[in-house]
Amino acid sequence: MRICYVVAMVAEAKPFIERYGIKEVEGFFAPLPCLLYEGNVNGAILDVVLNGQQQGSDLVGCEAASVATLSAIQRLHPDIIINSGTCGAFRSNGAEIAEVYIGNGVMFHDRRVPGDDAWGTQSLGNYPIWEGSAQLAQTLGFKMGKVTTGSSLDMQPCDLSIIQEHGGELKDMEGAAVGFVCSLFKTPILYVKSVTDLCDGGAETFEEFSRNLHHACETLKKANEQIIEYLTQR
Ligand code: SAH
């Protein structure tokens, strides 16, 4: 079995890379910015693909996530892609800081494209997720929520109305891009998201995100340990 994580930020991946002692395969994706870490866990190959950096900061967002996912699938042929990272969530849905969710759907919330129904539907995405996601969440005791993706950290009123209309719960900047690429290859995709900020909590998002990033990445690492055990023992 080959499990491949696609992760945007070093902070999100580092606790996890250190926990498994997996090593960087230098230059694997050159000249692309994405980075590969690889090792073995319980007889499975564990890959972690990071989006990489530009100008000294992590390449968050859809473009880099698409490049990383495409490269990962074409070069590594994983059995499953896991998009692990942080997200905003809603206090009104009962979310708490550093709580880890499993995705039960994925779409874009900032693609406002007028036209017929087919055009609008295509823009929103709503890509398939790995069919075992619900069973995994139930067995390991994680809540589930719908991931919605946009290109900004902040949330404009028009984003919120699309999120509410479609039952979005976990707001990120990569999920749907990863899901789009996985849908092209029919590669199963599992979402693991830890909450750094509450979109309806009244705090300034970047300040709240920065304050909680470390804590959220620790719970994310613990969740991923459980998930890797679960996947490799099946
Ligand atoms: N300059 C910041 C950028 C972080 S962007 C830094 O380097 O620390 C936020 C990242 O966390 C993205 O990868 C996104 O997927 C996720 N994220 C966390 N909270 C989010 C929110 N409320 N909205 C959108 N993305 C969020």
Side-chain angles (χ1 to χ4, degrees):
M1 180 181 206
R2 189 165 200 149
I3 300 169
C4 180
Y5 279 79
V6 174
V7 184
M9 297 180 63
V10 172
E12 293 162 338
K14 203 170 172 218
F16 186 62
I17 286 171
E18 288 175 352
R19 158 67 180 81
Y20 289 103
I22 58 178
K23 298 279 175 264
E24 185 178 353
V25 183
E26 282 183 33
F28 186 80
F29 290 116
L32 303 178
C34 33
L35 305 173
L36 174 65
Y37 289 78
E38 194 169 271
N40 285 281
V41 181
N42 298 340
I45 301 171
L46 177 63
D47 290 315
V48 177
V49 175
L50 276 154
N51 286 358
Q53 297 193 329
Q54 229 170 35
Q55 293 158 357
S57 58
D58 295 330
L59 281 161
V60 298
C62 292
E63 294 81 358
S66 300
V67 168
T69 309
L70 179 67
S71 307
I73 295 177
Q74 288 190 318
R75 298 283 306 276
L76 305 170
H77 306 287
D79 296 298
I80 187 167
I81 293 271
I82 302 179
N83 178 220
S84 169
T86 57
C87 67
F90 294 83
R91 179 181 274 175
S92 56
N93 292 332
E96 287 172 24
I97 296 297
E99 196 172 15
V100 176
Y101 281 76
I102 300 298
N104 60 10
V106 67
M107 63 176 285
F108 288 101
H109 63 241
D110 67 351
R111 289 179 162 188
R112 298 174 299 280
V113 185
D116 59 16
D117 279 355
W119 189 263
T121 303
Q122 188 240 73
S123 301
L124 293 172
N126 280 309
Y127 306 109
I129 57 154
W130 175 46
E131 59 190 15
S133 298
Q135 183 67 55
L136 178 147
Q138 196 190 4
T139 306
L140 301 180
F142 294 113
K143 287 189 196 169
M144 296 191 88
K146 185 168 187 178
V147 179
T148 79
T149 301
S151 293
S152 301
L153 183 65
D154 74 0
M155 184 173 67
Q156 297 299 313
C158 49
D159 299 327
L160 179 60
S161 62
I162 292 179
I163 290 171
Q164 285 177 333
E165 189 184 331
H166 296 270
E169 290 182 64
L170 311 169
K171 178 175 176 289
D172 83 344
M173 296 176 63
E174 295 86 15
V178 177
F180 166 65
V181 178
C182 286
S183 75
L184 303 178
F185 291 91
K186 299 193 168 38
T187 303
I189 165 80
L190 172 70
Y191 292 94
V192 187
K193 298 281 167 177
S194 184
V195 178
T196 44
D197 50 275
L198 296 168
C199 302
D200 57 351
E204 200 283 311
T205 303
F206 182 63
E207 192 279 320
E208 190 178 27
F209 165 83
S210 305
R211 180 159 33 90
N212 296 318
L213 182 60
H214 181 75
H215 183 198
C217 291
E218 280 303 312
T219 57
L220 188 62
K221 179 196 82 170
K222 291 204 183 83
N224 281 315
E225 286 183 286
Q226 288 180 266
I227 288 163
I228 287 174
E229 281 301 313
Y230 176 89
L231 291 175
T232 56
Q233 303 302 330
R234 286 159 81 235

